[in-house]
Amino acid sequence: MPSLVYVVRSPLHSLSHALLPGDGSALVLSLEDPLLPGKVLRGTKTMSLTEGERLSYEQVLAILLDRKVVTL
């Protein structure tokens, strides 16, 4: 499981890519859409989450409580 989870509220293309690790070691979740709980922007090799997958509130909360989180 990844040690870091990045949570973004703005579109990923508007953020500097220097803020995110390029090696696929971190999970990136988007919470930008207020109508949908969460969306996976970047998955990791160690988790079964894929890019574009929608997450329920329970799934997002479980991920956030289990790992170190960076909010952007």
Side-chain angles (χ1 to χ4, degrees), residues 1 6 15 17-18 24-25 41 45 49 55-56 59 63-65 68:
M1 295 200 170
Y6 287 82
L15 296 173
H17 291 285
S25 63
L41 296 180
K45 300 174 186 109
L49 300 173
L55 303 174
S56 68
Q59 290 172 305
I63 290 169
L64 298 180
L65 292 175
K68 295 179 184 175

Side-chain angles (χ1 to χ4, degrees), residues 10-59:
S10 56
L12 190 58
H13 66 272
S14 68
L15 296 173
S16 171
H17 291 285
L19 296 173
L20 304 172
D23 61 0
S25 63
L27 177 65
V28 181
L29 297 178
S30 170
L31 301 178
E32 69 180 284
D33 188 346
L35 301 176
L36 299 169
K39 180 179 178 183
V40 178
L41 296 180
R42 286 191 190 166
T44 63
K45 300 174 186 109
T46 57
M47 291 189 78
S48 60
L49 300 173
T50 58
E51 186 176 320
E53 183 176 350
R54 295 288 180 177
L55 303 174
S56 68
Y57 286 114
E58 291 82 13
Q59 290 172 305

